[in-house]
Amino acid sequence: MNAPQRTFEAKDAIRDQVPLLMGIMSPSGGGKTFSALRLATGMQKILGGDIYGVDSENGRMLHYADQFKFKHVAFNPPFGSLDYLEALKYCNKQGARITIVDSMSHEHIGEGGYLETAEAVVNRIAGDDYKKREAVKMLGWAKAGPLRQKMIEGIKQLDGVFIFCFRAKEKTKPIKKDGKTEIIDMGFMPIAGEEWVYEMAVNCMLEPRSDGVPTWRSDHVGERMMMKLPAQFKHIFAEQQPLSEDIGRQLAEWARGGNPAPVQPDDSADDLMAWDSKLRSASHLGMPALQEVWTSMPANLKPLLKAALDRIHKPEAEKAPA
């Protein structure tokens, strides 16, 4: 039986609205959540709708509920790949235009996640027979891998902007060189499957105590592999500055497609960035200088910068030389 003849059509390519997947990698306390909420707030000015936060960190996103407006989705175990997909589908059905996932790393290391799924297969087949466990290890990955791939393909079909926060930790890797084993420092690596991290359109690293300023260059091969900044986004991140509402607006303009409409200046966002910069500079001079800047700050901006003051600027000021 002959298969029906397929037909195709070619049209001029037009930049249309597209989903945007963005990753923020950082060790604990690096500012992932705060930075993601700033980006999402700027994106909302362009895309509209509500911001949804899928929180697997036992309510950690709620620490910022007095500074940012968003819908909070508590996400408890199990943290399987398809559980993450269902959580994002739920947000999508509610009309979310911007969704933050904090943290995506539980899909890899959390209860019911990728590693536990693979381990359960090995436990069932080999038990405590460690020689047999090594032999059947691939069967575990054969179970967990397709579930993750189904999650990836499912998320790629959802409309909107997604910001994924990845925990990161320092890693090393043994390699063979001239018959000897050398240990290579990979730097901070996201706790996630590489095949998933590679799906991000943009993937930035926040180093410890970075004040939300992403790093795009590194001496560590692992960090260089994980960072991702395509040419179409380089102008957005050209200046060394914290992830902000303004950067979020520019990313949303790109995701919206077509010819970007002129963005009306947002004095409050500019003021926020300016005062955050003043606090950062004062923190290097010690607590008295920091207190002086904080006292002079407009009252309407203090609630928005209180978390940054306590988490970043005060510790920095306490370390400053007398």
Side-chain angles (χ1 to χ4, degrees):
M1 183 175 179
N2 294 330
Q5 184 177 3
R6 298 184 61 182
T7 59
F8 300 90
E9 181 181 4
K11 296 181 179 180
D12 290 338
I14 299 175
R15 265 268 295 121
D16 203 353
Q17 180 168 314
V18 295
L20 174 63
L21 309 182
M22 178 176 182
I24 302 177
M25 311 174 292
S26 175
S28 179
K32 298 183 294 295
T33 310
F34 184 73
S35 297
L37 284 164
R38 289 194 69 181
L39 289 171
T41 301
M43 292 172 175
Q44 189 179 41
K45 296 179 183 298
I46 303 300
L47 302 175
D50 289 322
I51 298 168
Y52 277 67
V54 177
D55 185 351
S56 70
E57 297 276 2
N58 196 27
R60 185 172 295 180
M61 290 190 75
L62 294 176
H63 295 184
Y64 303 98
D66 58 343
Q67 301 175 63
F68 300 96
K69 186 177 180 180
F70 61 96
K71 302 287 188 182
H72 182 259
V73 181
F75 184 28
N76 301 314
F79 297 120
S81 302
L82 299 188
D83 295 293
Y84 269 86
L85 177 58
E86 287 304 312
L88 293 181
K89 283 184 175 179
Y90 165 79
C91 297
N92 200 251
K93 287 179 181 177
Q94 299 303 307
R97 298 295 302 136
I98 307 113
T99 305
I100 300 169
V101 180
D102 187 23
S103 152
M104 194 68 212
S105 292
H106 286 95
E107 185 270 341
H108 190 67
I109 60 169
E111 181 181 336
Y114 183 90
L115 296 182
E116 273 203 4
T117 299
E119 187 76 2
V121 174
V122 177
N123 288 338
R124 177 172 53 83
I125 297 175
D128 292 333
D129 186 337
Y130 289 97
K131 185 176 181 180
K132 187 176 180 181
R133 289 177 69 87
E134 189 66 25
V136 302
K137 185 168 61 176
M138 294 302 296
L139 296 177
W141 307 140
K143 172 69 174 179
L147 296 177
R148 172 175 284 169
Q149 195 58 43
K150 186 174 182 180
M151 176 197 75
I152 293 173
E153 296 305 320
I155 292 176
K156 286 162 62 177
Q157 299 306 311
L158 298 177
D159 186 33
V161 174
F162 300 88
I163 304 173
F164 299 98
C165 297
F166 296 98
R167 295 181 182 182
K169 66 178 182 179
E170 291 184 288
K171 284 190 176 182
T172 58
K173 182 179 181 179
I175 64 168
K176 290 286 187 179
K177 187 175 182 181
D178 299 329
K180 297 181 180 180
T181 300
E182 291 187 6
I183 303 299
I184 301 299
D185 186 357
M186 302 291 284
F188 285 106
M189 297 289 286
I191 302 174
E194 291 183 358
E195 71 274 29
W196 172 224
V197 178
Y198 291 152
E199 293 290 345
M200 301 299 112
V202 182
N203 204 33
C204 62
M205 169 70 72
L206 298 182
E207 294 183 337
R209 309 189 66 79
S210 64
D211 292 351
V213 180
T215 297
W216 298 108
R217 296 184 180 183
S218 174
D219 294 330
H220 301 298
V221 62
E223 291 181 357
R224 292 199 301 271
M225 289 171 56
M226 294 296 104
M227 296 174 190
K228 188 174 182 180
L229 184 61
Q232 64 266 32
F233 300 122
K234 285 186 176 180
H235 70 285
I236 299 177
F237 297 94
E239 296 183 23
Q240 190 175 10
Q241 59 179 316
L243 298 175
S244 65
E245 291 80 359
D246 184 58
I247 290 175
R249 286 190 299 183
Q250 294 181 68
L251 289 170
E253 284 280 13
W254 181 88
R256 188 171 65 173
N259 295 320
V263 177
Q264 296 300 319
D266 187 340
D267 293 337
S268 62
D270 291 341
D271 287 347
L272 195 68
M273 293 173 61
W275 280 101
D276 185 60
S277 178
K278 289 180 181 180
L279 289 171
R280 184 166 59 251
S281 298
S283 69
H284 298 303
L285 302 177
M287 287 298 294
L290 181 64
Q291 185 60 44
E292 182 179 351
V293 173
W294 179 257
T295 301
S296 64
M297 182 185 302
N300 65 310
L301 296 181
K302 288 184 177 180
L304 301 176
L305 288 171
K306 184 64 166 60
L309 175 75
D310 293 337
R311 182 173 51 83
I312 299 173
H313 303 311
K314 279 186 177 180
E316 189 68 35
E318 290 170 352
K319 294 194 311 179

